[in-house]
Amino acid sequence: MTGDWLERVVEELRRPTPPSDGFDRRWRAALERPPARRTGPLLAIAAAAVILVTVWAGRSRRHPAPIEFLIDVPTARAVTLVGDFNDWDRRRTPLERVAGTTRWRARVPLPGGFYRYVFLVDGERWVADSAQPTTEDPDFGTAVSLVTVR
Amino acid sequence: MMTVATAVTLLALTGGGWQDPEPRLRARLDSVTARAVEAIVDSARIRGLPTEPLIQKALEGRTKGAAGDRIVAAVGILLDGLGRSRQALGSAAGADELQAGALWFRAGGTAEQLGRLRHAAPGRSLAVPIAVSAELLTRGWPPDEATLLLERLFRARVSDAAFLSLRIGVNDALRGGASLVPAVRAEVARLAPGGNRVP
């Protein structure tokens, strides 16, 4: 980092000029000029990595990984998912039937948190998710499932 | 608790003047219920408790066709549970732990037991273990024994995934004809062998 600066000083000292005020000023100026700051390659890579991780983390918060919800209901004509992640709105998260099976699936991007939810089959039957912890709901009379997203 | 809910309703009806009304509540609930729930949400906000679970509880009630007074009562009970959770788990507890703690109370657990769980696992989130336990409590697992065995699992540093596997193991055993308590004990012994016998 200081190589260029030293070379400039040495160059000034080696110039074949007779001693004079101008010569003294030049080499003193070269000596007093601060060495140029150059960014080393490792520092540049580290800075780029920090920027990438920051962008990725921000993107992850905005676009969290989807959680898959799956239920097997052979006789269903329609299944929707309602829960803390969609304001318990029965229209917002319909499940799609997995082709060639009796299973229904939805992938929902969820930020980290604790969510209660339930499936609604054919608009009238509440069904808890057997794949997750489920508690009876003494308030509204139907079981609800619980999922924790990290 | 109904008394608390009724008092909050009356307060809202007599001109509580709550600030920052929640548009989702106004859009989905009748005005009286919305104002009562907003009063509870406001109380949570003042106490530094999470408000979103309360809003979701009210919206759940609406979707399930519950009457307004029932919705207000449910939201009031949840506020009470969140507050007790924070007392038991400490001010550093996350919203997910507070919600799980509220379920612990609804399932029959006590604040003293919840505090013991916090003490046994100071550095980890209790949300998943408590959620799994709350399910088993509602099926009849005694809270005293649950606390004892959870402490044992925490000492063995059992992961969240292992807690979920415990639940699956218990369900498999129940389908095979086992009783709940022996099934849970067997799963705990599998995950944390060598612990003290459960009295």
Side-chain angles (χ1 to χ4, degrees):
Chain A
M1 185 177 291
T2 57
D4 290 346
W5 171 72
L6 274 176
E7 277 175 17
R8 281 201 309 274
V9 173
V10 171
E11 192 180 347
E12 284 297 326
L13 288 171
R14 281 179 176 167
R15 279 179 65 176
T17 52
S20 68
D21 289 344
F23 169 76
D24 281 348
R25 274 201 307 274
R26 284 201 304 277
W27 77 260
R28 285 180 192 280
L31 197 63
E32 287 166 7
R33 203 179 300 148
R37 295 178 65 87
R38 280 203 325 225
T39 306
L42 282 177
L43 189 61
I45 291 170
V50 168
I51 291 168
L52 280 174
V53 167
T54 306
V55 169
W56 177 82
R59 193 177 161 78
S60 298
R61 277 193 294 273
R62 288 194 302 273
H63 305 285
I67 304 295
E68 184 171 84
F69 295 89
L70 203 60
I71 184 173
D72 193 341
V73 269
T75 58
R77 296 184 305 278
V79 182
T80 58
L81 185 61
V82 288
D84 292 344
F85 40 76
N86 64 7
D87 289 342
W88 291 84
D89 185 338
R90 56 173 76 198
R91 292 163 303 182
R92 209 184 293 180
T93 316
L95 277 72
E96 291 180 348
R97 182 171 229 144
V98 180
T101 73
T102 56
R103 293 188 299 172
W104 297 72
R105 179 175 60 197
R107 289 194 176 100
V108 184
L110 291 181
F114 184 87
Y115 301 94
R116 302 165 65 257
Y117 67 96
V118 68
F119 297 108
L120 181 58
V121 177
D122 293 334
E124 58 187 15
R125 188 157 58 96
W126 303 103
V127 180
D129 187 354
S130 60
Q132 296 291 341
T134 296
T135 61
E136 292 302 318
D137 181 2
D139 299 315
F140 306 126
T142 57
V144 292
S145 297
L146 316 165
V147 64
T148 303
V149 180
R150 294 266 173 252
Chain B
M1 187 45 63
M2 285 296 286
T3 311
V4 173
T6 307
V8 171
T9 307
L10 287 173
L11 194 58
L13 286 173
T14 52
W18 307 105
Q19 294 178 345
D20 193 20
E22 168 55 49
R24 289 172 293 175
L25 297 175
R26 295 290 172 112
R28 299 270 298 276
L29 304 174
D30 65 79
S31 62
V32 173
T33 306
R35 288 177 67 187
V37 173
E38 281 167 7
I40 298 172
V41 170
D42 211 43
S43 167
R45 191 176 292 122
I46 290 166
R47 294 166 60 185
L49 293 169
T51 56
E52 187 62 20
L54 302 167
I55 294 168
Q56 293 301 329
K57 190 72 185 176
L59 297 177
E60 176 193 358
R62 176 69 185 90
T63 296
K64 291 180 175 175
D69 59 349
R70 197 171 181 85
I71 291 173
V72 174
V75 176
I77 290 169
L78 179 55
L79 173 67
D80 182 59
L82 293 172
R84 292 173 65 199
S85 278
R86 191 175 58 184
Q87 274 195 317
L89 295 174
S91 57
D96 56 348
E97 289 181 298
L98 298 183
Q99 285 177 266
L103 287 175
W104 173 267
F105 293 126
R106 289 309 292 274
T110 67
E112 186 268 335
Q113 291 161 346
L114 199 56
R116 277 173 55 189
L117 299 183
R118 169 83 297 158
H119 184 70
R124 69 169 291 168
S125 170
L126 299 179
V128 170
I130 294 176
V132 169
S133 305
E135 176 182 33
L136 298 174
L137 291 180
T138 59
R139 292 188 190 175
W141 193 25
D144 279 340
E145 177 172 324
T147 307
L148 205 63
L149 293 185
L150 284 169
E151 287 174 322
R152 176 170 156 188
L153 291 168
F154 289 145
R155 278 197 300 275
R157 300 185 182 281
V158 166
S159 66
D160 283 355
F163 270 102
L164 292 170
S165 80
L166 177 150
R167 170 182 178 273
I168 293 169
V170 169
N171 285 340
D172 288 346
L174 294 179
R175 273 194 292 274
S179 301
L180 177 71
V181 171
V184 178
R185 287 177 183 175
E187 281 299 306
V188 171
R190 177 178 69 81
L191 293 170
N196 297 330
R197 278 190 166 280
V198 175

